[in-house]
Amino acid sequence: MLSVALMLLGSTKAFLTPPPQQLRTVRRVRTVRRANSLVDDLLRAVDGTDGGVSATAEQKAAILKQIEQLEASYDRAPFDDAENLYRDGTVAYVGQASSKAANAAGGRFRGRIGRTIFRTRGLFQHLIAPDRAVNCVTFRLFGLVDGAAVLTGKVTRAAKLPPRREAKVRDPRLVEDAERIEVGSSGAQSELTQALAATEPGPASRSACLVEFARPRIALGTAVFELGPESSVALDTTYLDERVRVIRGGVSDIPFV
């Protein structure tokens, strides 16, 4: 009788213990549900902040914690998720300490004076397969004349990102340089490009890339012209799903949602 009871207990235990594959599925579902909840909370938090420029220091600190929680829940490779990575996107938030002079998304058009003169209507960041990026800020000059500033660039997966320049991020006067290191009209390689080229070779990163932008194209009313230098930016995708793409500046660590 004892042996029969032990056999029954063993079979019952086996019956009550889900197989490993089922356990992994359950954990995955829980992770997805938690991520969805975090995304909902993040989108509510950034709503009404004018892309982050009107957020208070307290709001920015709280939003940063939410972003970090979302990043901690992500363990996939963005470049392997082409369906979600390569798509049109609206920039809902930029976690920059100060946007007095300029902003990492929109440049001087999103600085204090720029926002007054060129009243922002939209802020976009598109990734187009296999290797194109388009950044765009649409505006209305003095609230009267429609316009846009467009940056188009080539995306290259990076093996390693250069050292971050936190000192520049802390200096509001250099805030634009922390995210975009410009080159002169000579066409020489930017400091960022040189830094990436000098790193040890290795397999392409799961999430990091370098974008080399051509000169900005400005549309103002019916006029279209180029204004400003070429530029480079390093980016690191730290979270990605069907609703949200979180990117950090590879040099500045500034988060974009």
Side-chain angles (χ1 to χ4, degrees):
M1 292 292 293
L2 181 59
S3 61
V4 173
L6 290 173
M7 290 176 62
L8 289 173
L9 181 61
S11 62
T12 302
K13 182 179 179 181
F15 176 75
L16 294 176
T17 303
Q21 184 176 359
Q22 186 175 345
L23 285 173
R24 286 194 293 269
T25 301
V26 171
R27 293 192 190 101
R28 180 63 182 167
V29 169
R30 288 176 178 172
T31 300
V32 170
R33 286 177 178 173
R34 173 169 169 71
N36 285 337
S37 177
L38 290 172
V39 169
D40 290 338
D41 293 342
L42 177 60
L43 292 179
R44 280 193 292 267
V46 303
D47 186 39
T49 65
D50 189 15
V53 296
S54 66
T56 64
E58 291 76 14
Q59 283 179 300
K60 290 178 181 178
I63 290 170
L64 180 59
K65 288 183 179 180
Q66 291 176 307
I67 290 174
E68 290 172 344
Q69 286 181 316
L70 201 55
E71 291 171 331
S73 73
Y74 187 66
D75 61 356
R76 303 177 67 186
F79 279 101
D80 294 337
D81 187 6
E83 182 178 355
N84 287 321
L85 182 64
Y86 295 104
R87 66 185 184 198
D88 295 346
T90 299
V91 180
Y93 179 79
V94 181
Q96 188 165 303
S98 172
S99 297
K100 291 180 180 179
N103 188 271
R108 294 185 182 277
F109 288 98
R110 292 284 292 162
R112 178 186 291 175
I113 296 176
R115 295 194 305 274
T116 302
I117 300 174
F118 304 94
R119 299 175 187 175
T120 307
R121 302 188 66 191
L123 197 58
F124 309 97
Q125 188 180 77
H126 308 321
L127 285 177
I128 305 168
D131 61 357
R132 305 304 297 174
V134 179
N135 288 354
C136 176
V137 54
T138 59
F139 54 81
R140 183 164 285 173
L141 178 62
F142 295 116
L144 300 172
V145 182
D146 288 334
V150 180
L151 283 173
T152 59
K154 178 177 175 58
V155 178
T156 304
R157 291 180 64 175
K160 182 181 178 182
L161 291 177
R164 301 187 189 282
R165 295 174 171 81
E166 289 87 352
K168 285 192 174 183
V169 180
R170 288 194 294 267
D171 186 345
R173 294 171 301 174
L174 299 173
V175 71
E176 61 186 0
D177 296 326
E179 184 57 25
R180 179 173 295 116
I181 301 173
E182 297 179 340
V183 298
S185 58
S186 63
Q189 280 191 323
S190 70
E191 179 186 347
L192 180 57
T193 305
Q194 293 176 27
L196 282 171
T199 59
E200 295 181 3
S205 167
R206 289 159 49 98
S207 59
C209 67
L210 170 70
V211 185
E212 295 277 7
F213 287 109
R215 297 183 64 192
R217 291 180 64 83
I218 311 297
L220 193 59
T222 58
V224 178
F225 53 93
E226 292 185 350
L227 180 66
E230 298 173 339
S231 58
S232 302
V233 62
L235 299 172
D236 195 13
T237 302
T238 55
Y239 180 84
L240 181 68
D241 67 15
E242 67 277 3
R243 290 195 294 163
V244 167
R245 180 173 62 222
V246 177
I247 294 177
R248 290 214 183 226
V251 173
S252 68
D253 210 32
I254 294 173
F256 301 77
V257 179

